Amino acid sequence: TLAACTSSTSFSIYHPLPPSNMLSSRLSLLSRRVRLAPSRFMSASPEVVPDAPASAHAQLPYVAPLREMNFVLNEVHNAPEHYQKLGFEDCTPDFLDAINSECAKFAQEQIAPLYSSGDAEGCTYQPNTDVTTPAGYKEAYKNFSEGGWNGLTVPEEWGGQGMPLSMGVVKSEIIGAANWSWAMYPGLSMGAMNTLLLHADDQQKQTYLTKLASGEWSGTMCLTEPHCGTDLGQVATRAEPNGDGSYAVTGTKVYISGGEHDLAENIVHIVLARLPGAPAGTKGISLFLVPKYVPGEDGELNEESTKAKNVTCVGIETKMGIKSSATCVMGFENSKGWLIGEENDGLEQMFTFMNTARLGTAMQGVCHMERAYQGALPWAVDRASMRSLSGKKYPDDVADKIIVHPDVRKNLLTIKALCEGGRSMIYDAALKADGMIADDEAAREKCEEELGLHTPTLKAFLTELGVEATSLGMQVYGGAGYIKDYGMEQIMRDARISTLYEGTTGVQALDLIGRKILLDKGKELSKQVKLQISEAARIGTSQTARNHGLLGHSVEIGKLSAQWATTAARVTMGAASDRDIVGTASTDYLMFSGYLSCGYQWLKMMEAAGKALDADPNMQEADRAFYESKLETGRFYFDRLLPKAYMHRDLCLKNPKSIMSMSLEGWDLATTLPSDSGNAYAGHKAE
C-alpha cells in the first residue's frame, strides 16, 4: 500500500529514533525506517553517534545523499573525464565515491548529532573577549582537521591534498547539510585559502596558507563596517605603514562569521582597509592579512606572541538562526597586518573570497532543501489524516497517510525538484571553477568571467528557494512544524540568513543584470544562450528524447534561452529612457534566469536517466526506480515549476512607475527606529 500511494514517483527516507525527551505519542510516528521505493542514499550507516549533548530540540537525522551526488557528478556532468583532462588521473568514479563516502561518514557520525544541541546552546562571549562554541564543536573540528579535510583542495606544496576545487564544493554540501553552523568555520577558511593561494606572496603562503590547510589556524573575511555593508566604497578602516613592511590596521568590522572562537589556535583575518592618500571609493581599497596572534619569525606561535591579541572581538550578535556560528564584531586597533598583492587592488582580490563565499552560500540553499526534505518525508508517510480524494488507500486504518494528498505531495516534490536541480546547477559551476587555479592567467580570467555570469543567480535563486523549501517542509507537518519538538523550524531559521549575507538577493540581481550583462555588453550571456540552445537541440533530436518524451522539454528550454537574451536587450533599451527599469526588473530577471537554469539542468538529468534505462533494460529494480524517479521529478519541474520563469520574464518588462511614483509622504510613516538598536557594536569606536 505504501508503494501504491506514491504512484510512479520514488520517495525514500531514513529516519532513526528521535531523542528520548519527545512524547511517547510522537515516538510512535517517527521511530522506524520506512521505504516507499529503493533508497536514494547509498553507503549510509544507520549508526548515528548517540552521545550528542542534550538539547530541547528534536535531533533530525541526516544521511548524505551519495547516490544523488554520484549521479550528478558522474552521469550528468561526467566529472571523471573533466578531472582526467585537468591531470587528476586518480579522480575516477570509485575514488570520488570513496572520498565522499568517508566525508559522509564523518558528517553523519560527528557533525549532524551536534546540529540541534548547538542551536540550543549557541556561542558564548567571555569577559576576556574569547568566544566559546557549543559542546562537541571543538572535538569535531579537531577530528576534521586531523582527517585532512581542511586542505582537501589546497596544492600539496602548501600542505594540502591537491584535489580539484570542485571536490571541495561536494564536501561542503555533505558537511553543510549535516550542520550548517559548524560548517561555516572551515568554510570561511576555504575562502581565505583560495585568496592567499591566488594573491599572496610565497612567504605569506608558507606562514599562513600551510596552517590554514592543516586546520591549525582558521580564516575569516572582514568587509562590513557599522556604516556600510554592500557599499564597500565607504570602507573607513585604515592601514598605516609601520616602516618594516607591515601595517597598523585600525577600524571596526561587523557581522564577521568565525571572527573569534575556540576551535583553532589562531585566526587569520582577510581585511579590507585604506592606505594613506588612497583614492576615494572602491578604487582606494587594499587587502590585508591580519592574524589574531602574530607568529614569531619562524612562523610559529610562541609564549611571547600569544600574550596579547592582535585583534579583539568586541562582542557577538544575538541572531535568529545559525546560532552556533559566532557572528562577531571585530576591533582592529593598530593591529599588525601585511598587504596582500598590490596597493588599491583589494576589492578585485577580495572577489576571489567573495565568489567562493557566494558559491558556498548558494550551496547553503541546497543544504537546507535537503534537510527539509529528509525531515518532512518521514512525517508525510507516517502521519494519518482524512481520506484520499480518489478513494481509501489505507482502508484498515482510521485515515490515510497524508502523502496521498495532492497538496502534500506537491510540497514534497517541489522541495525534491529544487534540491536536485540546484545541486546540479552548483556542481556544474563548481567544475567550471576548477579553472580558477590554472597556471595560465588568461585561462583563469576566462574561468572567472564564465563563472561570474552564474554566481549571482546561484547565490540568490537557490537561497530564496532554500527558504521557500524549508517553509514547505514545515507546511507538511502542519502546526507541529512550528514547534521546536520536531526540529523543522530550526532549518527555516538557519536558512533565512542565506538571502541576506554575501550580498542580498536585490544586490545579486543588480550585479547580474548590471555588471555581468549590461557592462559586459551581453558577451558571456550570449555564449551561455548559444550553449543551452545547442544542447537542447542535441538532446531533443536524440533517441533518448524519443524514448522518454524529452522533445517538448528541449524545445521549451531552447525558446526560453533565446528569450533570456532578448529580455535583457529589452531591459537595456528601456533603461535608455528610464534607468529605474534596471532596478525594478533586476530581481525578476534573476529569478527568470534561475528557473531557466534549473530547467536546463533538469533536461540534462532526464537525458542521463533515460540513457541509463535504455542502456540496461535488465538493471536491478533499485536502479530502475532511481532513474525513473528522475524522469518523474523532471516532468514535475517542467509542468509545475518552470512556468514561473514566464511570470518573472513578463514582470521584467513592466513600467517602473507603479513602484517608483509614490512620494515619501504617501508611505504614511508613523514609526521611527529605536535610539538603541541593541547591536553588539553600539558605542564602540576604534581609535
Side-chain angles (χ1 to χ4, degrees):
T1 54
L2 283 173
C5 84
T6 62
S7 183
S8 56
T9 300
S10 173
F11 293 95
S12 56
I13 59 169
Y14 167 66
H15 208 311
L17 285 169
S20 59
N21 66 342
M22 294 181 65
L23 297 177
S24 59
S25 61
R26 293 168 183 164
L27 281 171
S28 65
L29 296 176
L30 297 174
S31 63
R32 55 191 171 86
R33 187 168 186 162
V34 180
R35 277 188 192 276
L36 301 176
S39 177
R40 61 200 286 260
F41 308 115
M42 61 178 279
S43 302
S45 169
E47 301 298 327
V48 178
V49 173
D51 297 326
S55 168
H57 303 53
Q59 178 58 60
L60 284 174
Y62 168 70
V63 180
L66 295 175
R67 178 74 183 274
E68 298 283 348
M69 300 166 78
N70 288 334
F71 169 72
V72 175
L73 281 171
N74 299 329
E75 299 179 63
V76 179
H77 297 304
N78 199 0
E81 182 178 315
H82 163 80
Y83 293 142
Q84 298 300 310
K85 290 179 180 178
L86 294 179
F88 295 98
E89 291 84 2
D90 292 335
C91 292
T92 63
D94 288 343
F95 178 80
L96 296 177
D97 181 56
I99 294 291
N100 294 336
S101 295
E102 282 302 309
C103 187
K105 182 180 178 182
F106 175 85
Q108 291 160 192
E109 294 180 353
Q110 299 195 44
I111 306 301
L114 303 174
Y115 181 56
S116 297
S117 61
D119 179 71
E121 182 180 347
C123 293
T124 305
Y125 183 73
Q126 304 292 348
N128 66 350
T129 74
D130 286 346
V131 172
T132 53
T133 54
Y137 271 48
K138 190 171 183 178
E139 293 77 8
Y141 181 84
K142 178 177 180 290
N143 294 336
F144 184 79
S145 299
E146 289 178 350
W149 294 108
N150 273 298
L152 181 67
T153 61
V154 175
E156 293 181 68
E157 64 178 307
W158 304 117
Q161 305 292 323
M163 293 293 105
L165 285 177
S166 51
M167 287 187 65
V169 174
V170 177
K171 175 196 74 177
S172 74
E173 179 189 349
I174 297 172
I175 299 298
N179 188 336
W180 184 261
S181 294
W182 186 94
M184 289 181 68
Y185 294 104
L188 285 158
S189 294
M190 191 69 249
M193 286 187 279
N194 287 342
T195 302
L196 294 178
L197 185 62
L198 291 178
H199 303 296
D201 60 40
D202 284 353
Q203 183 178 351
Q204 291 170 336
K205 291 176 184 177
Q206 186 59 50
T207 302
Y208 295 95
L209 179 56
T210 54
K211 295 292 189 183
L212 288 166
S214 70
E216 295 171 76
W217 299 354
S218 68
T220 76
M221 172 173 64
C222 297
L223 283 69
T224 305
E225 300 183 2
H227 59 284
C228 71
T230 300
D231 187 3
L232 293 174
Q234 297 185 52
V235 163
T237 298
R238 63 183 188 273
E240 302 280 347
N242 286 326
D244 60 356
S246 68
Y247 295 80
V249 177
T250 301
T252 302
K253 298 289 184 177
V254 300
Y255 307 141
I256 307 306
S257 298
E260 179 63 75
H261 55 76
D262 57 356
L263 305 184
E265 63 182 17
N266 201 7
I267 301 174
V268 181
H269 301 283
I270 308 296
V271 185
L272 286 182
R274 293 186 182 280
L275 290 165
T282 57
K283 293 182 179 179
I285 298 175
S286 298
L287 194 63
F288 296 87
L289 184 160
V290 186
K292 171 183 173 180
Y293 294 116
V294 179
E297 292 184 2
D298 60 356
E300 302 291 336
L301 298 183
N302 53 50
E303 185 177 353
E304 182 65 28
S305 64
T306 56
K307 279 184 178 179
K309 294 178 181 177
N310 187 42
V311 183
T312 304
C313 177
V314 178
I316 60 175
E317 306 287 358
T318 303
K319 311 187 296 291
M320 172 183 179
I322 57 167
K323 293 183 177 181
S324 53
S325 171
T327 305
C328 303
V329 182
M330 304 304 298
F332 296 82
E333 302 189 27
N334 293 317
S335 302
K336 193 170 187 178
W338 288 266
L339 181 69
I340 299 174
E342 301 297 323
E343 294 183 3
N344 303 324
D345 196 28
L347 194 60
E348 287 302 313
Q349 296 162 353
M350 182 58 86
F351 268 118
T352 301
F353 202 143
M354 291 167 68
N355 284 333
T356 300
R358 287 172 179 174
L359 192 59
T361 308
M363 183 60 83
Q364 183 179 357
V366 171
C367 289
H368 292 310
M369 292 178 198
E370 183 65 42
R371 265 286 187 173
Y373 184 75
Q374 291 194 27
L377 185 55
W379 179 269
V381 299
D382 274 341
R383 182 74 168 180
S385 181
M386 303 187 294
R387 289 297 187 187
S388 167
L389 294 173
S390 58
K392 295 180 180 180
K393 299 299 187 294
Y394 296 81
D396 296 333
D397 295 343
V398 68
D400 288 333
K401 307 303 183 185
I402 64 172
I403 197 168
V404 307
H405 300 311
D407 192 63
V408 173
R409 292 175 66 88
K410 182 183 70 176
N411 290 343
L412 287 167
L413 279 166
T414 298
I415 302 171
K416 178 177 170 65
L418 292 174
C419 179
E420 293 173 13
R423 176 179 292 116
S424 188
M425 290 170 69
I426 293 181
Y427 284 14
D428 193 11
L431 292 168
K432 292 181 173 70
D434 284 332
M436 286 179 61
I437 56 172
D439 293 331
D440 181 45
E441 186 174 351
R444 289 201 306 271
E445 289 178 359
K446 180 182 178 183
C447 169
E448 289 189 16
E449 288 171 359
E450 185 177 5
L451 192 62
L453 175 68
H454 298 287
T455 301
T457 301
L458 289 167
K459 193 278 177 186
F461 175 75
L462 292 177
T463 57
E464 286 288 341
L465 295 185
V467 173
E468 179 182 331
T470 62
S471 179
L472 292 174
M474 286 179 62
Q475 197 72 20
V476 169
Y477 275 72
Y482 191 68
I483 62 176
K484 290 184 180 292
D485 288 26
Y486 294 94
M488 295 299 290
E489 56 83 36
Q490 182 189 344
I491 307 173
M492 189 172 187
R493 285 189 290 104
D494 286 350
R496 190 62 187 88
I497 184 60
S498 63
T499 67
L500 305 175
Y501 58 14
E502 305 308 332
T504 63
T505 298
V507 168
Q508 298 295 335
L510 284 172
D511 182 43
L512 172 65
I513 201 167
R515 293 182 67 242
K516 305 300 171 58
I517 294 178
L518 298 185
L519 290 182
D520 185 54
K521 298 181 180 178
K523 288 183 291 186
E524 283 301 321
L525 175 65
S526 226
K527 292 177 187 176
Q528 184 64 28
V529 165
K530 288 177 182 177
L531 172 64
Q532 291 184 187
I533 291 175
S534 173
E535 277 292 282
R538 180 190 63 77
I539 294 171
T541 55
S542 67
Q543 185 62 46
T544 305
R546 289 190 286 274
N547 292 349
H548 300 282
L550 304 186
L551 175 58
H553 301 324
S554 299
V555 170
E556 187 172 22
I557 291 298
K559 287 182 177 179
L560 274 174
S561 296
Q563 292 168 19
W564 192 23
T566 57
T567 302
R570 292 179 67 182
V571 171
T572 303
M573 289 188 289
S577 57
D578 188 348
R579 292 189 178 183
D580 277 333
I581 194 173
V582 175
T584 58
S586 59
T587 298
D588 283 300
Y589 187 80
L590 182 144
M591 296 303 287
F592 171 33
S593 305
Y595 279 109
L596 169 59
S597 298
C598 194
Y600 175 58
Q601 295 298 329
W602 264 113
L603 181 62
K604 294 200 291 185
M605 286 191 286
M606 293 173 80
E607 180 199 24
K611 279 184 174 180
L613 288 167
D614 294 342
D616 186 4
N618 300 315
M619 67 174 58
Q620 295 290 325
E621 189 57 34
D623 294 326
R624 178 172 299 280
F626 175 84
Y627 291 120
E628 287 178 347
S629 78
K630 283 289 165 285
L631 293 170
E632 290 284 351
T633 309
R635 291 180 191 117
F636 172 84
Y637 184 88
F638 277 95
D639 190 42
R640 295 284 177 164
L641 299 180
L642 186 61
K644 296 182 181 183
Y646 298 96
M647 175 192 72
H648 289 293
R649 177 202 64 189
D650 294 344
L651 286 172
C652 289
L653 305 175
K654 294 291 184 181
N655 193 305
K657 287 184 179 179
S658 61
I659 294 177
M660 304 304 298
S661 62
M662 185 184 291
S663 66
L664 186 59
E665 290 75 19
W667 291 90
D668 192 26
L669 184 64
T671 58
T672 58
L673 289 173
S675 58
D676 180 7
S677 64
N679 288 328
Y681 55 81
H684 175 80
K685 185 177 181 181
E687 294 298 327

